Amino acid sequence: RLVRRLEGLWQLSRLADADEETFSNFVLTECLDITGSRYGFFGMVDEKESAMVSYSLSRDVREDCQTAVRPVRFSIPEAGVWAEAVRRREPLVMNDYTAPHPAKKGLPEGHVSLTRLLAVPFLTEGQVSFLVAVANKETDYTEEDLRELSSFMGNARLILDRRKTDSALRESEAKFRVLADATPVAILLYQ
């Protein structure tokens, strides 16, 4: 199992420059494999922690979900149980989805039936930056599932942070290049 996780992390590191969809789909596939879950999603949370944009849905969700509207952007205050993990900034484990829970708001018509749920938020600089949620493992989610998932996603977060930093650097360089190209006089830079 450890060798499998290391292989997954190696593959993830090789996808650091991949497009969002490829990267996100790999992350979610690994999360489903780690936990033995059937359904799941992976999404980025905005800086105000008011919305989550879902970047990846598991193949079974895409096939089995019959809801009329499949939003890509979810309002955290209006969302149900999975969003409680973001609001509380801690993992949420529900091994009996039929049990009452104060954050439940019901599932939309045609939504896949849920039996178990594990939702884990990940923080960057004190803010929830992304969330992974997996569902319908055949047995209860355990502390080991949470540890394994958290460990893998902690490494994924480092790569995601690097992707954001690289993107910001490219934008800054492009702005500087436009400024330098538009300046009619020479600019001398020294350190």
Side-chain angles (χ1 to χ4, degrees), residues 21-98:
E21 182 178 1
T22 301
F23 184 83
S24 298
N25 286 339
F26 181 82
V27 166
L28 182 58
T29 299
E30 287 296 303
C31 291
L32 294 169
D33 182 53
I34 287 168
T35 59
S37 299
R38 180 169 181 189
Y39 300 125
F41 67 83
F42 170 69
M44 301 293 179
V45 177
D46 69 7
E47 58 279 342
K48 295 179 183 177
E49 296 181 12
S50 62
M52 185 212 51
V53 175
S54 177
Y55 279 95
S56 187
L57 294 171
S58 64
R59 180 181 48 82
D60 285 352
V61 166
R62 290 189 304 269
E63 291 174 2
D64 297 348
C65 188
Q66 302 300 314
T67 58
V69 177
R70 294 186 188 181
V72 173
R73 183 177 171 85
F74 297 88
S75 168
I76 300 294
E78 295 173 17
V81 168
W82 64 263
E84 194 66 8
V86 175
R87 293 187 287 261
R88 290 185 179 184
R89 300 165 152 245
E90 62 185 35
L92 174 88
V93 178
M94 289 186 72
N95 280 317
D96 179 4
Y97 198 83
T98 62

Side-chain angles (χ1 to χ4, degrees), residues 2-183:
L2 177 60
V3 170
R4 174 65 184 99
R5 296 300 156 250
L6 290 173
E7 288 172 355
L9 289 171
W10 172 249
Q11 290 296 326
L12 182 66
S13 69
R14 296 179 70 205
L15 292 174
D17 295 323
D19 62 86
E20 288 291 334
E21 182 178 1
T22 301
F23 184 83
S24 298
N25 286 339
F26 181 82
V27 166
L28 182 58
T29 299
E30 287 296 303
C31 291
L32 294 169
D33 182 53
I34 287 168
T35 59
S37 299
R38 180 169 181 189
Y39 300 125
F41 67 83
F42 170 69
M44 301 293 179
V45 177
D46 69 7
E47 58 279 342
K48 295 179 183 177
E49 296 181 12
S50 62
M52 185 212 51
V53 175
S54 177
Y55 279 95
S56 187
L57 294 171
S58 64
R59 180 181 48 82
D60 285 352
V61 166
R62 290 189 304 269
E63 291 174 2
D64 297 348
C65 188
Q66 302 300 314
T67 58
V69 177
R70 294 186 188 181
V72 173
R73 183 177 171 85
F74 297 88
S75 168
I76 300 294
E78 295 173 17
V81 168
W82 64 263
E84 194 66 8
V86 175
R87 293 187 287 261
R88 290 185 179 184
R89 300 165 152 245
E90 62 185 35
L92 174 88
V93 178
M94 289 186 72
N95 280 317
D96 179 4
Y97 198 83
T98 62
H101 190 285
K104 273 189 174 177
K105 297 184 178 186
L107 297 173
E109 186 176 328
H111 193 282
V112 295
S113 178
L114 298 179
T115 57
R116 293 174 183 82
L117 175 72
L118 171 60
V120 185
F122 293 89
L123 283 73
T124 302
E125 297 179 7
Q127 295 295 117
V128 176
S129 54
F130 61 92
L131 174 91
V132 64
V134 292
N136 289 20
K137 178 180 176 183
E138 289 186 13
T139 59
D140 285 354
Y141 288 106
T142 65
E143 285 296 318
E144 183 178 348
D145 291 322
L146 181 56
R147 265 193 316 276
E148 293 258 351
L149 188 63
S150 295
S151 175
F152 175 77
M153 291 306 296
N155 286 292
R157 188 192 80 218
L158 295 174
I159 294 169
L160 285 165
D161 290 347
R162 190 186 107 205
R163 288 169 62 101
K164 287 180 186 178
T165 301
D166 289 351
S167 177
L169 180 59
R170 281 191 295 277
E171 283 182 37
S172 177
E173 287 173 345
K175 288 178 184 176
F176 179 77
R177 181 163 286 119
V178 166
L179 176 65
D181 290 346
T183 303

